[in-house]
Amino acid sequence: GDRHPDTLNSINAMAVFFRDKGDYAKSHRLYEEVVAVACETLGDRHPRNLLYRNGMARLFHKEGNLEESRLLFEDVLAARREVLGGQHPNTVITMEWLLEVFRDMDDEDEASKLEAELSSISQ
């Protein structure tokens, strides 16, 4: 069915495909759909939904919507820290993407803090 986890994974895969192809409008519609359904069926802190929302934050970044990207990455990061832990690979990936957003926003203060945190994790 349209709410089954396998269906959500397929929708997410299509969103990633269109995002990476540069068709941001199609990708955006698919991300909105998968995130909305995942919020209803899995909850907003489910690891799968966090993956979908992380992808949507990457889309915002690629679109140049840095503020939306930052806000969503920060929300996903907080949830991943809570659900998966601060050193989980998926948490670290979100930190790396958020660092890139901070750099693109010329927010050196936040970038430096996050870079130091990432550095302490990798040691």
Side-chain angles (χ1 to χ4, degrees):
D2 62 351
R3 299 168 89 68
H4 190 278
D6 290 343
T7 304
L8 296 179
N9 288 337
S10 295
I11 294 168
N12 183 66
M14 291 187 325
V16 170
F17 171 79
F18 285 117
R19 180 192 69 210
D20 292 347
K21 189 177 169 196
D23 191 341
Y24 299 148
K26 280 185 185 174
S27 179
H28 198 94
R29 285 191 301 275
L30 291 166
Y31 272 121
E32 284 180 346
E33 177 183 350
V34 75
V35 168
V37 173
C39 278
E40 292 174 21
T41 58
L42 303 173
D44 65 342
R45 295 225 176 298
H46 188 281
R48 274 278 134 200
N49 196 9
L50 296 175
L51 173 73
Y52 306 151
R53 292 168 57 215
N54 194 77
M56 189 172 205
R58 288 190 61 204
L59 172 63
F60 289 147
H61 188 202
K62 285 187 172 249
E63 289 175 322
N65 191 344
L66 299 178
E67 186 61 23
E68 284 295 318
S69 180
R70 179 188 66 82
L71 291 171
L72 189 50
F73 272 134
E74 287 175 341
D75 187 51
V76 170
L77 179 57
R80 280 185 162 174
R81 282 179 169 151
E82 178 185 316
V83 173
L84 303 174
Q87 296 190 350
H88 189 278
N90 290 350
T91 305
V92 173
I93 287 169
T94 299
M95 293 169 73
E96 291 169 346
W97 284 113
L98 180 57
L99 176 61
E100 200 172 299
V101 172
F102 285 146
R103 287 182 176 150
D104 288 348
M105 294 177 84
D106 295 323
D107 189 340
E108 291 305 316
D109 290 340
E110 291 299 322
S112 294
K113 290 180 205 172
L114 198 51
E115 204 166 35
E117 186 177 352
L118 280 164
S119 180
S120 72
I121 291 171
S122 65
Q123 293 179 359

